Amino acid sequence: MELIQNTPDVSAYLAADEVIDHEHPRVRATAATLSVGAPDAYAYAKAAFEFVRDTIPHSRDAGDERSEMGVPPAEGWGRVTWRASDVLAQRTGICYAKAHALVALLRAEGIPAGLCYQKLEVIHGLVAVKLPGEERWARQDPRGNKPGVDAQFRLDREQLAFPVRPECNELDLPVLFAEPHPVVLQCLREAVDRPHLWQTLPTDL
């Protein structure tokens, strides 16, 4: 899919801010660890993708529905992560939060990365990366695999978690954002806990 940058300046896709806080010591330390044994930008980007995809469980997949079943929640269960460093610390997050973490890890090593979205039943968050020598941005989906979901890091073709179904009015949204979309960030920040988050996920941007 051809993505449209929401700002023409590629340096915006390397910037740090409150959400993509890649200057935070935890992000820097994680990036340094991942860069060991990664001889080039491609190897590092793939390692960062697989780290976020595989070692930070998606909140829906993490078995954290205890309070909805009348079981007392674990310590910190209700926290909704949205800042990249917090996602790495808490080792949990929904698709948006995991995308923030991956973008931060990529930018920490000087690799341009941005945020893009799909309109499924609710808005789904993705990452796009632009590696040296590549003319196009390549979308990646670090939400985490499970039965029926097999997202992989690829540049030759996309292998996302959820290919859109036009017959269900699903869409790939073409804009590539340097910062999280305000609707997405507001949803994360205002969620008092995860059950509340599930009820307030945006259905459009």
Side-chain angles (χ1 to χ4, degrees):
M1 177 181 182
E2 193 72 35
L3 292 168
I4 304 166
Q5 294 176 208
N6 77 322
T7 173
D9 186 357
V10 75
S11 67
Y13 297 90
L14 291 167
D17 58 30
E18 183 184 12
V19 182
I20 313 298
D21 58 341
H22 61 74
E23 296 173 347
H24 189 283
R26 183 172 290 109
V27 180
R28 303 299 306 180
T30 304
T33 299
L34 291 170
S35 68
V36 174
D40 55 29
Y42 175 88
Y44 174 81
K46 186 173 187 288
F49 168 84
E50 292 177 349
F51 174 81
V52 174
R53 183 194 64 186
D54 298 340
T55 73
I56 301 175
H58 188 286
S59 301
R60 274 289 198 190
D61 302 341
D64 280 334
E65 305 306 314
R66 288 180 286 264
S67 73
E68 295 176 7
M69 299 183 291
V71 179
E75 180 71 24
W77 173 85
R79 184 168 186 188
V80 175
T81 56
W82 51 269
R83 185 180 288 113
S85 58
D86 287 340
V87 176
L88 296 177
Q90 297 289 323
R91 289 298 179 95
T92 188
I94 67 166
C95 60
Y96 315 134
K98 294 186 66 171
H100 300 166
L102 178 55
V103 168
L105 289 172
L106 293 169
R107 293 184 185 181
E109 291 296 307
I111 299 172
L115 299 155
C116 48
Y117 303 93
Q118 293 173 308
K119 186 180 185 303
L120 307 178
E121 183 178 347
V122 295
I123 295 298
H124 178 57
L126 306 171
V127 169
V129 59
K130 193 170 188 180
L131 292 176
E134 296 290 332
E135 294 183 2
R136 301 176 65 178
W137 293 91
R139 293 193 305 171
Q140 313 295 336
D141 191 343
R143 67 105 33 226
N145 290 340
K146 61 180 182 177
V149 175
D150 183 27
Q152 300 293 331
F153 185 87
R154 304 187 68 118
L155 299 183
D156 57 336
R157 63 179 177 84
E158 292 185 340
Q159 190 167 338
L160 307 178
F162 306 114
V164 298
R165 301 168 296 172
E167 68 275 13
C168 298
N169 296 318
E170 296 177 350
L171 297 169
D172 285 314
L173 302 179
V175 179
L176 177 63
F177 295 90
E179 301 173 348
H181 192 284
V183 169
V184 167
L185 191 55
Q186 180 181 3
C187 169
L188 292 172
R189 283 176 157 167
E190 292 183 353
V192 296
D193 56 23
R194 292 178 192 161
H196 179 242
L197 177 63
W198 308 146
Q199 296 171 10
T200 58
L201 291 172
T203 57
D204 208 347
L205 297 179

